[in-house]
Amino acid sequence: MSDDAGSNDDFPSSKLDRSKIFAKTGLKVGANYARYLKDRVTNRSGDKTAQKQALNTKNAEDIYAELTKLRGTALKLAQSMSMDTGVLPDEFMDVMAQAQYKVPPMNQALVRKRIRDGLGRFPEMLFDSFQGEAMAAASIGQVHRATLPDGRDVAVKVQYPNIRNTIESDLKVARPLIGRLVKGPYLDDYFEEIRSMLMQETDYENEADNIDFFAEQYDYEDVVTPRAVHEYTSETVLTMTYVAGDHMNEFLAREPGQERRNHFGQLLWDFVHDQIASNYCTLHADAHPGNFLFRDDGRLGVIDFGCVKRFPQEFRNDMIRLWNARIHDDEAAIEDLLHKLDILHGDMNAATRTRVKSFFERFGKLIVQPYRSDTFDFGDDAFFNELKECFQEGSKLRETSGSHHFIFINKVLVGLFGIMNQLKPKLNTVQSRTALHESVQELPTG
């Protein structure tokens, strides 16, 4: 097999080829729905709930199968689907959650070529050892174990071919589809925010710099982050020290006790809040369970620093102020900050304004519940049921609302609460509440 084998056939990059796959996906979903309707007519006594669940599962499986061919932007959307509790049926989330773990990898010949193109030499000439079989494959690239000549164990992330070239075409296909469902003045800003972040995620030299930042600022005694190896890194190949640990699905499969769940839940909760409370305005914005490792030594591993959001200072300050206003039920301050953050704006008609304000009132009160007492039980099903209903209510809003910087704030919130829903820890929230409160006190007035 030549080094070029499979270089393009498995990775459609042209707008035409990718549009065909999008269209094929739509046809499959349409066919599934037609069969579902036919079954309801011919089997009127059947279990309607089971029939709908079967339809949802089949649609999710077909969509996932096609998106794995596209990878890149399309598969990133699938990962987001797996996190957005309440926006999609549970059957979709169960299937789409595979997007972090079970993407078909590149063949080994193509991996060798990608490393040679990125670093100038084939892996056997660069590394003391290199495992040709990927240890993990996701939306933008796949990861291989290796050993450096100096003996360090490393993880080598290799980007799929043509990923950067597909970002623009995928977003152009998605833009009119989303535009039919969502209206408002900020939609173009949202798409530009997504495009910008995807371009950053496909620049592995940028990710190496992110790794350096988090290693310096947040590598605590109980939190482990990798170290970038810059001399073995390029725009399409990233080498970093290897961090061992179980992903959350593996951790939960071992049926850990409540104390162990509490321990890791606390580490993750405090890690996120340390970032929000700091003045660096920088946030690890991909709070997907696949990006956290639960280690036997009790430390939390944090990986994948491609999606790191840097906020303008004023936006970050207003977010902290809004949290404080919610905690103190300061309605006047809340109203003012909803306008400053463009959640409420002058282009809204009266009915839309009422709907948006009502939603954010409910959502805000839910989000600050964990801070109203010194401890909070994330095993409380009533809390998550109400949160899910709130997300479902939010998914029905058809008006863009809020600064485009909220895209990644929301991603972290949904991801963090989703992980807590699965871990079900009982947390002490004094440290996080105090850190946020002190941040408010340090903000300039006026």
Side-chain angles (χ1 to χ4, degrees), residues 174-224:
R175 174 62 176 83
L177 296 176
I178 299 299
R180 296 174 191 172
L181 301 174
V182 181
K183 307 297 180 184
Y186 302 126
L187 190 56
D188 287 335
D189 290 341
Y190 290 176
F191 268 84
E192 176 55 30
E193 175 79 357
I194 293 169
R195 188 199 70 80
S196 176
M197 186 60 75
L198 286 171
M199 294 300 287
Q200 291 181 44
E201 286 192 66
T202 53
D203 180 354
Y204 285 171
E205 290 176 319
N206 177 72
E207 183 171 351
D209 291 339
N210 291 338
I211 290 172
D212 288 344
F213 173 83
F214 275 84
E216 180 180 350
Q217 302 298 335
Y218 298 108
D219 191 28
Y220 306 145
E221 180 180 349
D222 291 326
V223 176
V224 182

Side-chain angles (χ1 to χ4, degrees), residues 309-337:
K309 173 64 180 175
R310 290 174 172 82
F311 297 98
Q313 185 75 52
E314 184 177 0
F315 175 87
R316 177 265 182 188
N317 291 352
D318 285 340
M319 282 295 304
I320 295 288
R321 290 188 177 104
L322 181 59
W323 172 86
N324 187 61
R326 285 289 184 196
I327 284 288
H328 293 94
D329 297 317
D330 186 341
E331 296 300 330
I334 291 171
E335 177 85 13
D336 179 59
L337 288 161

Side-chain angles (χ1 to χ4, degrees), residues 324-379:
N324 187 61
R326 285 289 184 196
I327 284 288
H328 293 94
D329 297 317
D330 186 341
E331 296 300 330
I334 291 171
E335 177 85 13
D336 179 59
L337 288 161
L338 290 179
H339 281 91
K340 284 186 176 180
L341 292 164
D342 289 327
I343 293 170
L344 299 178
H345 53 81
D347 293 326
M348 287 179 170
N349 59 41
T352 299
R353 178 187 175 86
T354 298
R355 287 198 304 271
V356 170
K357 189 173 181 180
S358 174
F359 166 75
F360 277 96
E361 168 116 10
R362 182 183 182 189
F363 181 65
K365 288 180 177 179
L366 270 175
I367 291 300
V368 299
Q369 270 193 34
Y371 310 95
R372 292 192 181 278
S373 58
D374 290 350
T375 60
F376 190 81
D377 184 0
F378 280 98

